[in-house]
Amino acid sequence: MYKFMLPCLPVDLFSCSKPRSMLSLSKMAVDMFVKVKSRIDSRHQVALVALQNTAEWVCDFTSDPFRICDTLSSLQSQPTADEFDLSELLRVINDHVILPEVPDITLPPPYTVRVILIYGRSSCVPSIQSTECREAFSRLTQSPYFFLDVLYIHEISSDSNNCENILDALYHLDLRLANYCLEASQHTVKIFNLMGSLLAHPLQRPFQDERKPWRVC
Amino acid sequence: PWCPVTDMAGVDKLHPTFRGLVENLLNGSSTFIRGGNIDVCDCATGDIEVQSEQSDCDRFCLNVPYCGSVLRWHVLFDSQHPKFPPDIVLDASDSSFCPVLTDISSLTEWDPSDENSLRLVVYELLELFRKHQLHVAEQIDHIKFNTEFLLESDHYCRFDVHVKRREGSEDNVRVKLYIQLPVAFSSLPAYLTSDSLGDDQAILAVTFYSSDAAHVTPKLKFSPSLERALGSITNIRIPRWGDEFGSCLMDYVPEVCKRIEDKFEEISAAYGKRKELVSVFLSHFGSSLIEYDAERFSRMTFLLSYQGFQCLVHIDISPVYPRDAPVFTLQSLYHELNNQPYHMMYQDHQWYSSSLTPEDTVAKTKSVHKES
């Protein structure tokens, strides 16, 4: 059973002194992710959404990791806006994704759909402002075959930013407690390690607080 | 080669009155056709005012697989009189087959309201053709000896026979038998048979090339989905005709069935072993699982951690495990080589033995990784 995956990449990672390197880092992490996923099972398909003030579906579902990587490399950084409305992202997902309908829930579905939201702002708390989109989101998350994982890359939490509130808002997107919400403060190895955790198949992986790499010691 | 899978494309060109009849035939033919599926082609209309490209065709050709050949039967309905039974023009290559119309009850008692009607006609005609071919074949003594065994047997009585004589030559005869083998596909793991929707067949095709049985070639054929799943048919070695299993079907066919069943048992046992190994790995390292193949149990991937750095370990399990050792590949999360994640395969399997239990294999794996 394969997956449709949707890394949503912020092109406005302007939150540190070297904004372009953070975008590059995110791109490299996603690049690694799609190539490894393809190696694990070539039937996995990935699409790409770029997040600015709106959400743009920049690459349709494909099992060719190099197509995703080429699209990734073409993304340019953009100025940050003051607020971030997830409604646009949800609209784009609704327009492009069809969830499987499986009459018998004990049978494996033909595929699952997972959104991986990589959020890079340290001052802007995300929200779903549209009521219609909030309802659509609720419907999506009711399906046992839809997952929304989050990787939050942020500055070191301080009084001058809003990291705690943002992390709280992102945690609350997980209505079924089946998703992963991971955070890292611009630590390169940690970001790649967390992307490694996100490689796990959502129907086979442990719950987030039960995950533990196989330690060689 | 196996005849083509049912192609429904021609059905769209048919007049709506006849479309359901043909669909019913195409969907239900696997129960009485051996070695393939019927398909529809050469759709046309008998109404000169209608162009054939439109969806109003009332006549078509059926390609009916039979003993490795194809019988071409032309079916002619009349869209002006849709309730009438069709005319059937049989394959001209076998002019000796001339069934009497009154013998074909599905035509004489044609029910236009029954969607099974056309399928019943084709089934009945095919049965008559089989009987005709059997009657021709039984004129040859050694063929009759073999077909009598098949007919009297409970297990091997589902067969087709086809006699082809070179024109003008009574001696240059080729007799082909397609024997449907009573093999239990349900013993195979589900992933091997899930594509076929229950239509799997194993056919032993035996060709007698001359009238004195001196030259006989047996071949094993599987339905396409099963052949894809099992790999090359040469993986199942059938005995040579005339060797230790004799020169008659009475001895030969049961031996072929046994070899197929042995192979299926081997495949099922290997599947069970792989599944067991995966479950033992999951019981030890489930909290670091990335993904495993839950269909074939042929691979699993875990996240490995060493001194704060992480990497992936892919474990590929051979179809012939435990005879072959699992293959371990370490893959970096941070580095690339030639535009691909950097990886390193473990080739040293000195620690491995096919007699190791899955628990021992896991224990050895832990110590090997520690050393690496």
Side-chain angles (χ1 to χ4, degrees):
Chain A
M1 177 224 326
Y2 54 94
K3 297 190 313 234
F4 288 110
M5 290 166 293
L6 201 59
C8 302
L9 193 66
V11 292
D12 58 358
L13 280 175
F14 238 75
S15 49
C16 69
S17 57
K18 295 179 184 174
R20 290 181 67 187
S21 69
M22 282 315 301
L23 180 59
S24 300
L25 194 56
S26 301
K27 285 184 187 180
M28 284 162 63
V30 174
D31 189 294
M32 175 278 294
F33 178 93
V34 296
K35 284 173 180 168
V36 173
K37 259 325 219 190
S38 174
R39 195 266 185 214
I40 291 174
D41 191 333
S42 58
R43 294 171 301 172
H44 289 318
Q45 294 188 36
V46 182
L48 199 59
V49 174
L51 303 175
Q52 309 165 56
N53 299 327
T54 59
E56 190 188 341
W57 189 274
V58 293
C59 184
D60 204 3
F61 284 112
T62 176
S63 51
D64 178 0
F66 295 102
R67 238 182 89 197
I68 294 289
C69 297
D70 287 344
T71 309
L72 266 176
S73 61
S74 67
L75 295 178
Q76 303 293 324
S77 61
Q78 305 285 334
T80 317
D82 293 332
E83 58 177 22
F84 187 72
D85 184 3
L86 281 168
S87 305
E88 279 301 308
L89 173 62
L90 295 171
R91 258 188 217 110
V92 153
I93 292 170
N94 234 17
D95 288 345
H96 290 87
V97 160
I98 299 170
L99 292 178
E101 286 181 16
V102 182
D104 184 353
I105 199 158
T106 60
L107 293 176
Y111 60 89
T112 58
V113 177
R114 178 157 65 120
V115 175
I116 302 171
L117 170 61
I118 303 175
Y119 194 79
R121 305 184 192 192
S122 297
S123 300
C124 175
V125 182
S127 60
I128 308 174
Q129 291 172 14
S130 151
T131 311
E132 175 203 341
C133 287
R134 246 180 277 139
E135 284 166 5
F137 180 61
S138 177
R139 278 195 302 273
L140 276 174
T141 52
Q142 273 168 31
S143 167
Y145 314 120
F146 176 82
F147 298 85
L148 172 60
D149 291 338
V150 176
L151 174 59
Y152 178 34
I153 306 173
H154 55 85
E155 295 168 355
I156 294 174
S157 182
S158 69
D159 292 336
S160 61
N161 59 40
N162 221 346
C163 296
E164 297 280 341
N165 290 333
I166 292 169
L167 189 57
D168 199 51
L170 293 171
Y171 268 130
H172 280 93
L173 291 175
D174 182 8
L175 302 176
R176 265 182 22 235
L177 302 178
N179 303 306
Y180 277 12
C181 183
L182 308 171
E183 54 85 23
S185 58
Q186 299 169 8
H187 186 290
T188 307
V189 170
K190 191 170 178 193
I191 288 169
F192 274 77
N193 287 351
L194 294 179
M195 279 305 279
S197 293
L198 287 173
L199 286 165
H201 195 297
L203 289 180
Q204 294 177 348
R205 65 189 181 188
F207 289 118
Q208 181 172 331
D209 54 5
E210 291 172 7
R211 67 186 177 92
K212 206 168 50 179
W214 167 356
R215 257 176 234 292
V216 179
C217 48
Chain B
W2 200 273
C3 293
V5 175
T6 304
D7 177 7
M8 303 291 265
V11 179
D12 293 336
K13 295 181 187 171
L14 297 175
H15 192 284
T17 311
F18 312 119
R19 215 174 282 164
L21 293 168
V22 175
E23 281 172 353
N24 183 286
L25 165 67
L26 298 182
N27 289 331
S29 64
S30 61
T31 55
F32 59 90
I33 298 284
R34 289 175 199 118
N37 302 83
I38 297 178
D39 76 76
V40 171
C41 64
D42 297 346
C43 297
T45 176
D47 186 341
I48 56 171
E49 292 186 13
V50 172
Q51 293 178 19
S52 295
E53 291 81 33
Q54 297 173 1
S55 304
D56 281 324
C57 295
D58 57 3
R59 49 194 60 190
F60 47 89
C61 179
L62 293 177
N63 289 327
V64 182
Y66 188 82
C67 268
S69 301
V70 175
L71 307 175
R72 286 176 60 84
W73 292 349
H74 293 264
V75 180
L76 288 76
F77 281 101
D78 182 352
S79 55
Q80 304 297 316
H81 302 95
K83 292 190 178 174
F84 285 11
D87 291 326
I88 314 261
V89 179
L90 300 173
D91 200 315
S93 62
D94 193 341
S95 53
S96 63
F97 175 57
C98 275
V100 176
L101 180 63
T102 49
D103 288 343
I104 312 172
S105 59
S106 52
L107 270 178
T108 57
E109 295 162 25
W110 174 265
D111 180 358
S113 63
D114 184 359
E115 293 238 314
N116 293 318
S117 296
L118 182 61
R119 181 163 58 85
L120 290 171
V121 168
V122 172
Y123 173 76
E124 204 170 351
L125 270 174
L126 196 58
E127 282 296 301
L128 288 170
F129 185 76
R130 282 185 180 125
K131 281 181 188 156
H132 162 74
Q133 286 292 323
L134 183 61
H135 173 73
V136 172
E138 285 179 341
Q139 308 309 306
I140 308 169
D141 287 338
H142 70 276
I143 300 292
K144 185 176 179 186
F145 172 73
N146 282 294
T147 55
E148 273 176 352
F149 156 70
L150 294 174
L151 287 167
E152 287 163 16
S153 145
D154 291 332
H155 302 295
Y156 314 116
C157 52
R158 299 182 69 189
F159 69 96
D160 295 336
V161 61
H162 201 191
V163 181
K164 284 197 171 178
R165 273 193 170 82
R166 185 164 284 186
E167 214 167 291
S169 166
E170 284 301 311
D171 293 333
N172 200 331
V173 172
R174 191 188 75 174
V175 180
K176 206 165 201 177
L177 282 150
Y178 256 41
I179 306 163
Q180 190 167 344
L181 301 176
V183 186
F185 299 105
S186 55
S187 63
L188 288 171
Y191 75 88
L192 286 171
T193 54
S194 55
D195 283 347
S196 59
L197 306 171
D199 292 340
D200 287 314
Q201 290 181 357
I203 303 280
L204 177 62
V206 183
T207 307
F208 296 83
Y209 278 96
S210 67
S211 56
D212 65 359
H215 181 193
V216 180
T217 52
K219 266 187 196 167
L220 197 52
K221 295 172 186 290
F222 286 106
S223 43
S225 59
L226 207 55
E227 181 152 353
R228 271 195 303 274
L230 292 174
S232 167
I233 288 300
T234 54
N235 284 340
I236 299 180
R237 296 208 174 275
I238 57 174
R240 275 168 55 103
W241 184 268
D243 279 358
E244 57 183 302
F245 297 102
S247 313
C248 64
L249 294 179
M250 191 187 306
D251 299 323
Y252 191 80
V253 177
E255 177 59 25
V256 170
C257 282
K258 183 179 176 307
R259 292 199 184 189
I260 295 174
E261 281 160 2
D262 288 347
K263 182 69 178 178
F264 284 6
E265 210 176 286
E266 191 187 300
I267 290 171
S268 295
Y271 172 81
K273 294 268 184 209
R274 294 197 304 273
K275 194 171 174 181
E276 190 187 0
L277 183 69
V278 168
S279 73
V280 171
F281 265 94
L282 290 179
S283 69
H284 283 264
F285 307 117
S287 56
S288 60
L289 175 70
I290 294 295
E291 191 169 322
Y292 74 96
D293 176 1
E295 200 179 41
R296 295 160 194 253
F297 298 94
S298 62
R299 55 167 176 77
M300 22 183 183
T301 300
F302 297 94
L303 194 61
L304 211 64
S305 167
Y306 182 68
Q307 295 184 349
F309 294 96
Q310 292 179 359
C311 69
L312 298 171
V313 57
H314 304 287
I315 305 173
D316 290 288
I317 311 170
S318 158
V320 296
Y321 166 82
R323 198 182 76 205
D324 288 356
V327 176
F328 297 87
T329 305
L330 294 181
Q331 185 165 40
S332 173
L333 288 178
Y334 319 115
H335 307 100
E336 275 194 353
L337 182 65
N338 300 327
N339 214 15
Q340 287 285 0
Y342 180 75
H343 64 273
M344 188 172 70
M345 202 181 283
Y346 270 118
Q347 299 285 20
D348 176 18
H349 292 127
Q350 288 178 13
W351 57 271
Y352 182 78
S353 154
S354 59
S355 59
L356 280 177
T357 64
E359 285 285 352
D360 290 340
T361 304
V362 170
K364 288 280 187 186
T365 303
K366 282 182 187 174
S367 61
V368 164
H369 282 318
K370 194 171 151 187
E371 283 164 26
S372 301

